[in-house]
Amino acid sequence: MKLLILLSLFFLVPGLFVTRKAAAASRPRIFVLATGGTIAGRADTPSALTAYQAGTLRIESLLATVPPLRDIANVTGETICDIDSKDMTEEIWLRLARRVNELFAEESADGVVITHGTDTLEETAYFLNLTVKSDRPVVLTGAMRPATSLSADGPLNLLDAVRTAASPDAAGKGVLIVMNGEINAARDVAKTNTLALDAFQSPDMGLLGYVNDGIPTFYRQTRRYHTAQSEFDVTRLASLPPVKILYGHAADDALFVEAAVRAGVRGLVYAGLGNGSIPQSVETALTEAAARGVIVVRASRTGSGAVVPERSPAGSPFLSAGTLSPQKARILLQLALTRTANRSEIQRMFLEY
Ligand code: SIN
């Protein structure tokens, strides 16, 4: 009998070991690139939800808070930066885009997750949506409550983000944002609440899908160009062209337009009133700026709806942002200016991306 048990152990145990090893080898390889934010934030007490230091938890500790990750994917953590995302820079964007492109080009990753502060998450997501050259999933996630909070949302958001990045269904859908069980497209999503857990919404287009019980499910996808179809290449760029946003308001004047032109901007996005309307007092200054070669794009401060191109006919000196928010119109204009200064060519880009 003893001999029989010994013999079975001899044959079974290595078999189990090989099966487990094979299962591990077949899991998708997901890189988690950490940039900081509330998801890596630490407060003095578990009930503190706003008084905390963002971007303090190391990526290793962040991953350790989510043990089920290891059953879903072979996860590698890497730190890009440790910042509060209000301090995000274009230099970090360029570094991030290059790193993601490098991971895909050298076949090291099947998908990438980026942990990020929520304040500028939508901007980083849109920048990557236009500059990552791959159909493989890239998913940004963050948290509205610090990691030390009694009911931190970061761990589940991170788990859902890795599940989405590991899902074949997420391929070819552009850069995604996964938060609060919802999947949104980088182009359309916006942070719409200062503190709530469901802070991210796509006001015009709606979300792409849900992650329910850990299963990412898509209902639709964007028709606008992104990632592998994008014409923008930042591989060799050291910086981006200077473009500023001016926020329209009642009784506005030409002060900031003139200052921006003097400072040498190459583009201006005017977050206009209603359908991107520009007060007379500002329009003259913007027309003069356009005559001097500054590309002026009309966007809207309303938060939803399109700034219709009909208001920017061929003869008009201004372009239209369509449904892009002012902060996303700024990013597209910067990338457009890396390729051309031709107005109609740039307007084409606003219609396609
Ligand atoms: C940040 O954007 O880094 C702070 C706020 C947040 O992550 O929710």
Side-chain angles (χ1 to χ4, degrees), residues 262-281:
R262 262 201 312 277
V265 291
R266 292 190 52 207
L268 281 174
V269 175
Y270 191 76
L273 305 122
N275 178 26
S277 296
I278 304 171
Q280 202 68 61
S281 49

Side-chain angles (χ1 to χ4, degrees), residues 14 18 30 44 66 68-69 71 92 103 158 170 177 184 190 201 218 221 234 253 263 275 286 294 307 309 335 337:
V18 170
I30 305 297
D44 287 341
V66 194
L69 281 179
D71 302 322
I92 298 174
L103 287 170
L158 180 56
I177 286 92
N184 280 285
Q201 300 192 1
F218 288 86
Q221 64 188 76
V234 295
D253 59 32
N275 178 26
L286 284 175
V294 175
V307 172
L335 290 170
L337 284 166

Side-chain angles (χ1 to χ4, degrees), residues 36-39 52 54-55 83-86 116-121 142-145 191 194:
T38 297
I39 191 167
Y52 60 88
I83 59 165
D84 186 316
S85 81
K86 68 181 171 57
H116 199 289
T118 60
D119 286 350
T120 57
L121 188 146
M144 294 301 291
R145 292 177 178 165
K191 184 174 181 180
T194 52

Side-chain angles (χ1 to χ4, degrees), residues 104-125:
F104 290 146
E106 67 190 22
E107 294 286 334
S108 308
D110 298 307
V112 169
V113 169
I114 297 165
T115 57
H116 199 289
T118 60
D119 286 350
T120 57
L121 188 146
E122 73 208 55
E123 288 169 71
T124 301

Side-chain angles (χ1 to χ4, degrees), residues 11-33:
F11 287 110
L12 274 178
V13 171
L16 279 177
F17 186 66
V18 170
T19 318
R20 205 172 290 163
K21 225 171 138 186
S26 69
R27 281 183 208 124
R29 298 155 306 157
I30 305 297
F31 269 70
V32 179
L33 307 183

